[in-house]
Amino acid sequence: MMFWYHHGAGGWGWMAMSIGIVLFWGLVITAGVLLFRALARPAPRNGERTGWGPGPAPDRHPTAEQILAERYARGEIEDEEYRRRLATLRSAREGPAK
């Protein structure tokens, strides 16, 4: 019976253990959430920067041909219109005929 009186962790000991357990589980849960978020992050596409060190800057301004190709892929324009606009873009890029 002597163990329960004056030899155990007093009131402050119980308070310190309670705070310690809350901090411990808080750290475990935080580490689990951070690990889950790191593993669930999608892989970077070609040329996309991950934020972890140096790498090529992402292409912020797509070219007119890329935009036209995206519209064609989404089905917004037909084959004939795509080819016509692509030919117009390529002839404008090459410059006027002399």
Side-chain angles (χ1 to χ4, degrees), residues 41-51:
R41 183 177 303 142
R45 293 176 287 195
N46 278 343
E48 188 176 39
R49 191 168 175 168
T50 61

Side-chain angles (χ1 to χ4, degrees), residues 88-98:
T88 303
L89 286 172
R90 288 183 176 166
S91 67
R93 183 179 60 193
E94 292 171 2
K98 294 182 181 177

Side-chain angles (χ1 to χ4, degrees), residues 17-28:
M17 284 193 306
S18 299
I19 291 171
I21 286 292
V22 168
L23 289 175
F24 170 77
W25 284 112
L27 287 173
V28 168

Side-chain angles (χ1 to χ4, degrees), residues 4 8-20:
W4 297 106
W12 291 110
W14 285 106
M15 180 65 69
M17 284 193 306
S18 299
I19 291 171

Side-chain angles (χ1 to χ4, degrees), residues 2-3 7 10-11 21 25 30 36 38 44 55-57 64 79 81-82 86 96 98:
M2 269 201 315
F3 177 75
H7 296 292
I21 286 292
W25 284 112
T30 301
F36 175 77
D79 293 339
E81 184 179 0
Y82 172 73
L86 185 61
K98 294 182 181 177

Side-chain angles (χ1 to χ4, degrees), residues 70-78:
E70 288 174 6
R71 289 187 62 201
Y72 178 67
R74 286 192 300 258
E76 294 177 8
I77 57 177
E78 298 295 325

